[in-house]
Amino acid sequence: MKTINIAIDGPGGAGKSSISKAIAAELGFIHVDTGAMYRAIALYAVRNDCVEQITDHIEEIDVELKFIGGAQRVMLCGEDVTDFIRSPEVTMTASRVAAVPEVRAHLFNLQKKIAAENNILMDGRDIGSVVLPHADLKIFLTASAEERASRRYLEMREKPDCPTYEEILEDIKQRDYNDMHREIAPLTQAEDAVLVDSTNMGFNEVVEYITDLIREKTDLR
């Protein structure tokens, strides 16, 4: 049976994961957050102080996605690390390890296998351009750096170690630069992707808009 694959790309902080998760629940699809996979490897690198030597350890890093009740859980060497991969240090490290060809190759086959076996929404930086070039629909979801920083700050402001808005904005701009200028699979909008700028859109509005695009493109009802 042919599966339906939807690719959602875009810069960090654009809301790809939360929006994809909501749409997947609405459609009964599996949501695959590829960024979480890179974060898991980044967590390994941080814990083992081997960011610069990550290629020496890649074969011993086992990353697995488990889907429990439709929700994605990220396993690192058998440990559920879903709740440990969103720290600022892991976030910045993920951008660095994602630029390493051996890391991308390590995760590429797993991503392709999941897509071949399930109806999925897969989000990341290079899904439509590299991982799923023949996806049924490609979305490039973005928002201004200032809007993305504001959203992130509102999410984190209750935490005792919350960075300032200015620090978050600078981190986002640096991640954008790193992602767009890496040699391997840089962040880019696929030629046949639909651009969705959510700067002036609410969460539910974006979910409804993209869900309608998917239904129209795939004839889902």
mmCIF file of all heavy atoms in Angstrom, residues 155-180:
data_model
loop_
_atom_site.group_PDB
_atom_site.id
_atom_site.type_symbol
_atom_site.label_atom_id
_atom_site.label_comp_id
_atom_site.label_asym_id
_atom_site.label_seq_id
_atom_site.Cartn_x
_atom_site.Cartn_y
_atom_site.Cartn_z
ATOM 1 N N GLU A 155 7.688 30.773 25.826
ATOM 2 C CA GLU A 155 7.681 29.377 26.258
ATOM 3 C C GLU A 155 8.581 29.156 27.475
ATOM 4 O O GLU A 155 8.290 28.328 28.336
ATOM 5 C CB GLU A 155 8.169 28.460 25.125
ATOM 6 C CG GLU A 155 7.198 28.311 23.957
ATOM 7 C CD GLU A 155 7.806 27.483 22.838
ATOM 8 O OE1 GLU A 155 8.971 27.033 22.991
ATOM 9 O OE2 GLU A 155 7.143 27.281 21.811
ATOM 10 N N MET A 156 9.691 29.888 27.520
ATOM 11 C CA MET A 156 10.729 29.609 28.503
ATOM 12 C C MET A 156 10.761 30.567 29.688
ATOM 13 O O MET A 156 11.495 30.331 30.653
ATOM 14 C CB MET A 156 12.110 29.643 27.820
ATOM 15 C CG MET A 156 12.279 28.656 26.691
ATOM 16 S SD MET A 156 13.905 28.796 25.899
ATOM 17 C CE MET A 156 14.995 28.304 27.246
ATOM 18 N N ARG A 157 9.990 31.636 29.666
ATOM 19 C CA ARG A 157 10.183 32.716 30.638
ATOM 20 C C ARG A 157 9.915 32.316 32.084
ATOM 21 O O ARG A 157 10.404 32.972 33.009
ATOM 22 C CB ARG A 157 9.316 33.912 30.266
ATOM 23 C CG ARG A 157 7.820 33.662 30.304
ATOM 24 C CD ARG A 157 7.057 34.912 29.934
ATOM 25 N NE ARG A 157 5.612 34.663 29.892
ATOM 26 C CZ ARG A 157 4.717 35.613 29.635
ATOM 27 N NH1 ARG A 157 5.127 36.844 29.397
ATOM 28 N NH2 ARG A 157 3.430 35.318 29.613
ATOM 29 N N GLU A 158 9.136 31.247 32.296
ATOM 30 C CA GLU A 158 8.854 30.819 33.658
ATOM 31 C C GLU A 158 9.974 29.963 34.250
ATOM 32 O O GLU A 158 9.980 29.682 35.455
ATOM 33 C CB GLU A 158 7.539 30.032 33.705
ATOM 34 C CG GLU A 158 6.316 30.825 33.236
ATOM 35 C CD GLU A 158 6.084 32.089 34.048
ATOM 36 O OE1 GLU A 158 6.386 32.065 35.255
ATOM 37 O OE2 GLU A 158 5.625 33.095 33.474
ATOM 38 N N LYS A 159 10.908 29.550 33.407
ATOM 39 C CA LYS A 159 12.007 28.721 33.892
ATOM 40 C C LYS A 159 13.058 29.591 34.579
ATOM 41 O O LYS A 159 13.346 30.704 34.127
ATOM 42 C CB LYS A 159 12.640 27.945 32.724
ATOM 43 C CG LYS A 159 11.679 26.965 32.059
ATOM 44 C CD LYS A 159 12.364 26.219 30.929
ATOM 45 C CE LYS A 159 11.398 25.218 30.283
ATOM 46 N NZ LYS A 159 12.027 24.460 29.173
ATOM 47 N N PRO A 160 13.666 29.097 35.644
ATOM 48 C CA PRO A 160 14.626 29.918 36.394
ATOM 49 C C PRO A 160 15.866 30.292 35.591
ATOM 50 O O PRO A 160 16.487 31.319 35.849
ATOM 51 C CB PRO A 160 14.996 29.027 37.586
ATOM 52 C CG PRO A 160 14.630 27.632 37.168
ATOM 53 C CD PRO A 160 13.445 27.780 36.271
ATOM 54 N N ASP A 161 16.240 29.468 34.615
ATOM 55 C CA ASP A 161 17.439 29.746 33.830
ATOM 56 C C ASP A 161 17.100 30.293 32.446
ATOM 57 O O ASP A 161 17.882 30.159 31.501
ATOM 58 C CB ASP A 161 18.290 28.486 33.690
ATOM 59 C CG ASP A 161 17.519 27.329 33.047
ATOM 60 O OD1 ASP A 161 16.270 27.426 32.953
ATOM 61 O OD2 ASP A 161 18.163 26.343 32.631
ATOM 62 N N CYS A 162 15.946 30.926 32.310
ATOM 63 C CA CYS A 162 15.510 31.429 31.010
ATOM 64 C C CYS A 162 16.456 32.503 30.488
ATOM 65 O O CYS A 162 16.748 33.479 31.193
ATOM 66 C CB CYS A 162 14.100 31.997 31.121
ATOM 67 S SG CYS A 162 13.511 32.752 29.579
ATOM 68 N N PRO A 163 16.929 32.365 29.247
ATOM 69 C CA PRO A 163 17.767 33.421 28.662
ATOM 70 C C PRO A 163 16.920 34.676 28.409
ATOM 71 O O PRO A 163 15.689 34.627 28.426
ATOM 72 C CB PRO A 163 18.232 32.803 27.333
ATOM 73 C CG PRO A 163 17.899 31.348 27.417
ATOM 74 C CD PRO A 163 16.748 31.220 28.352
ATOM 75 N N THR A 164 17.570 35.790 28.148
ATOM 76 C CA THR A 164 16.840 37.003 27.796
ATOM 77 C C THR A 164 16.333 36.881 26.354
ATOM 78 O O THR A 164 16.815 36.042 25.577
ATOM 79 C CB THR A 164 17.745 38.230 27.878
ATOM 80 O OG1 THR A 164 18.791 38.119 26.896
ATOM 81 C CG2 THR A 164 18.367 38.352 29.266
ATOM 82 N N TYR A 165 15.385 37.718 26.011
ATOM 83 C CA TYR A 165 14.881 37.748 24.632
ATOM 84 C C TYR A 165 16.024 38.004 23.656
ATOM 85 O O TYR A 165 16.123 37.362 22.604
ATOM 86 C CB TYR A 165 13.803 38.829 24.476
ATOM 87 C CG TYR A 165 13.483 39.169 23.031
ATOM 88 C CD1 TYR A 165 12.614 38.383 22.289
ATOM 89 C CD2 TYR A 165 14.075 40.271 22.413
ATOM 90 C CE1 TYR A 165 12.335 38.682 20.957
ATOM 91 C CE2 TYR A 165 13.804 40.579 21.085
ATOM 92 C CZ TYR A 165 12.932 39.782 20.367
ATOM 93 O OH TYR A 165 12.668 40.073 19.048
ATOM 94 N N GLU A 166 16.894 38.935 24.010
ATOM 95 C CA GLU A 166 18.013 39.286 23.126
ATOM 96 C C GLU A 166 18.946 38.097 22.906
ATOM 97 O O GLU A 166 19.444 37.872 21.793
ATOM 98 C CB GLU A 166 18.792 40.474 23.688
ATOM 99 C CG GLU A 166 18.053 41.806 23.645
ATOM 100 C CD GLU A 166 16.955 41.930 24.699
ATOM 101 O OE1 GLU A 166 16.954 41.112 25.654
ATOM 102 O OE2 GLU A 166 16.116 42.836 24.575
ATOM 103 N N GLU A 167 19.187 37.317 23.959
ATOM 104 C CA GLU A 167 20.045 36.139 23.834
ATOM 105 C C GLU A 167 19.385 35.083 22.948
ATOM 106 O O GLU A 167 20.058 34.453 22.121
ATOM 107 C CB GLU A 167 20.335 35.553 25.217
ATOM 108 C CG GLU A 167 21.251 36.422 26.063
ATOM 109 C CD GLU A 167 21.356 35.930 27.498
ATOM 110 O OE1 GLU A 167 20.407 35.271 27.989
ATOM 111 O OE2 GLU A 167 22.384 36.211 28.147
ATOM 112 N N ILE A 168 18.087 34.891 23.114
ATOM 113 C CA ILE A 168 17.374 33.919 22.288
ATOM 114 C C ILE A 168 17.390 34.348 20.823
ATOM 115 O O ILE A 168 17.607 33.528 19.924
ATOM 116 C CB ILE A 168 15.918 33.764 22.787
ATOM 117 C CG1 ILE A 168 15.911 33.127 24.174
ATOM 118 C CG2 ILE A 168 15.102 32.919 21.808
ATOM 119 C CD1 ILE A 168 14.536 33.087 24.816
ATOM 120 N N LEU A 169 17.178 35.639 20.573
ATOM 121 C CA LEU A 169 17.192 36.153 19.205
ATOM 122 C C LEU A 169 18.552 35.932 18.561
ATOM 123 O O LEU A 169 18.647 35.503 17.403
ATOM 124 C CB LEU A 169 16.833 37.641 19.197
ATOM 125 C CG LEU A 169 16.876 38.344 17.826
ATOM 126 C CD1 LEU A 169 15.904 37.688 16.856
ATOM 127 C CD2 LEU A 169 16.558 39.833 17.990
ATOM 128 N N GLU A 170 19.610 36.197 19.310
ATOM 129 C CA GLU A 170 20.958 36.001 18.775
ATOM 130 C C GLU A 170 21.216 34.529 18.470
ATOM 131 O O GLU A 170 21.817 34.189 17.447
ATOM 132 C CB GLU A 170 21.998 36.527 19.770
ATOM 133 C CG GLU A 170 23.432 36.475 19.251
ATOM 134 C CD GLU A 170 23.636 37.269 17.973
ATOM 135 O OE1 GLU A 170 22.957 38.298 17.795
ATOM 136 O OE2 GLU A 170 24.463 36.841 17.141
ATOM 137 N N ASP A 171 20.769 33.637 19.366
ATOM 138 C CA ASP A 171 20.926 32.199 19.138
ATOM 139 C C ASP A 171 20.188 31.766 17.874
ATOM 140 O O ASP A 171 20.704 30.960 17.080
ATOM 141 C CB ASP A 171 20.396 31.400 20.331
ATOM 142 C CG ASP A 171 21.363 31.394 21.505
ATOM 143 O OD1 ASP A 171 22.520 31.813 21.310
ATOM 144 O OD2 ASP A 171 20.960 30.983 22.611
ATOM 145 N N ILE A 172 18.977 32.277 17.676
ATOM 146 C CA ILE A 172 18.180 31.914 16.503
ATOM 147 C C ILE A 172 18.868 32.385 15.225
ATOM 148 O O ILE A 172 18.953 31.643 14.234
ATOM 149 C CB ILE A 172 16.757 32.496 16.620
ATOM 150 C CG1 ILE A 172 15.931 31.638 17.578
ATOM 151 C CG2 ILE A 172 16.061 32.586 15.254
ATOM 152 C CD1 ILE A 172 14.538 32.155 17.834
ATOM 153 N N LYS A 173 19.370 33.610 15.248
ATOM 154 C CA LYS A 173 20.065 34.128 14.057
ATOM 155 C C LYS A 173 21.317 33.306 13.756
ATOM 156 O O LYS A 173 21.630 33.030 12.590
ATOM 157 C CB LYS A 173 20.423 35.598 14.260
ATOM 158 C CG LYS A 173 19.219 36.525 14.221
ATOM 159 C CD LYS A 173 19.642 37.979 14.414
ATOM 160 C CE LYS A 173 18.462 38.927 14.299
ATOM 161 N NZ LYS A 173 18.850 40.350 14.490
ATOM 162 N N GLN A 174 22.040 32.897 14.816
ATOM 163 C CA GLN A 174 23.239 32.087 14.613
ATOM 164 C C GLN A 174 22.887 30.717 14.068
ATOM 165 O O GLN A 174 23.557 30.191 13.161
ATOM 166 C CB GLN A 174 24.004 31.945 15.922
ATOM 167 C CG GLN A 174 25.348 31.224 15.789
ATOM 168 C CD GLN A 174 26.313 31.956 14.883
ATOM 169 O OE1 GLN A 174 26.572 33.139 15.091
ATOM 170 N NE2 GLN A 174 26.838 31.274 13.867
ATOM 171 N N ARG A 175 21.812 30.103 14.589
ATOM 172 C CA ARG A 175 21.373 28.795 14.088
ATOM 173 C C ARG A 175 20.945 28.895 12.635
ATOM 174 O O ARG A 175 21.235 28.008 11.819
ATOM 175 C CB ARG A 175 20.215 28.264 14.933
ATOM 176 C CG ARG A 175 20.604 27.792 16.318
ATOM 177 C CD ARG A 175 19.387 27.300 17.073
ATOM 178 N NE ARG A 175 18.818 26.096 16.447
ATOM 179 C CZ ARG A 175 17.616 25.633 16.731
ATOM 180 N NH1 ARG A 175 16.830 26.273 17.592
ATOM 181 N NH2 ARG A 175 17.182 24.538 16.161
ATOM 182 N N ASP A 176 20.228 29.956 12.295
ATOM 183 C CA ASP A 176 19.817 30.155 10.898
ATOM 184 C C ASP A 176 21.041 30.201 9.988
ATOM 185 O O ASP A 176 21.071 29.564 8.929
ATOM 186 C CB ASP A 176 19.030 31.459 10.748
ATOM 187 C CG ASP A 176 17.615 31.380 11.301
ATOM 188 O OD1 ASP A 176 17.179 30.275 11.667
ATOM 189 O OD2 ASP A 176 16.948 32.434 11.352
ATOM 190 N N TYR A 177 22.033 30.979 10.398
ATOM 191 C CA TYR A 177 23.247 31.103 9.590
ATOM 192 C C TYR A 177 23.946 29.753 9.450
ATOM 193 O O TYR A 177 24.331 29.352 8.342
ATOM 194 C CB TYR A 177 24.200 32.123 10.213
ATOM 195 C CG TYR A 177 25.456 32.320 9.399
ATOM 196 C CD1 TYR A 177 25.504 33.236 8.362
ATOM 197 C CD2 TYR A 177 26.604 31.557 9.659
ATOM 198 C CE1 TYR A 177 26.646 33.402 7.592
ATOM 199 C CE2 TYR A 177 27.751 31.709 8.903
ATOM 200 C CZ TYR A 177 27.765 32.631 7.867
ATOM 201 O OH TYR A 177 28.897 32.773 7.098
ATOM 202 N N ASN A 178 24.087 29.045 10.575
ATOM 203 C CA ASN A 178 24.757 27.745 10.537
ATOM 204 C C ASN A 178 24.019 26.767 9.625
ATOM 205 O O ASN A 178 24.634 26.048 8.831
ATOM 206 C CB ASN A 178 24.848 27.149 11.948
ATOM 207 C CG ASN A 178 25.783 27.921 12.856
ATOM 208 O OD1 ASN A 178 26.577 28.741 12.396
ATOM 209 N ND2 ASN A 178 25.671 27.692 14.149
ATOM 210 N N ASP A 179 22.688 26.732 9.761
ATOM 211 C CA ASP A 179 21.895 25.780 8.985
ATOM 212 C C ASP A 179 21.920 26.098 7.498
ATOM 213 O O ASP A 179 21.937 25.194 6.655
ATOM 214 C CB ASP A 179 20.438 25.769 9.479
ATOM 215 C CG ASP A 179 20.290 25.146 10.858
ATOM 216 O OD1 ASP A 179 21.203 24.400 11.264
ATOM 217 O OD2 ASP A 179 19.280 25.407 11.524
ATOM 218 N N MET A 180 21.922 27.378 7.144
ATOM 219 C CA MET A 180 21.879 27.755 5.735
ATOM 220 C C MET A 180 23.238 27.670 5.053
ATOM 221 O O MET A 180 23.308 27.555 3.826
ATOM 222 C CB MET A 180 21.321 29.177 5.589
ATOM 223 C CG MET A 180 19.829 29.282 5.882
ATOM 224 S SD MET A 180 19.125 30.909 5.523
ATOM 225 C CE MET A 180 19.885 31.910 6.799
#
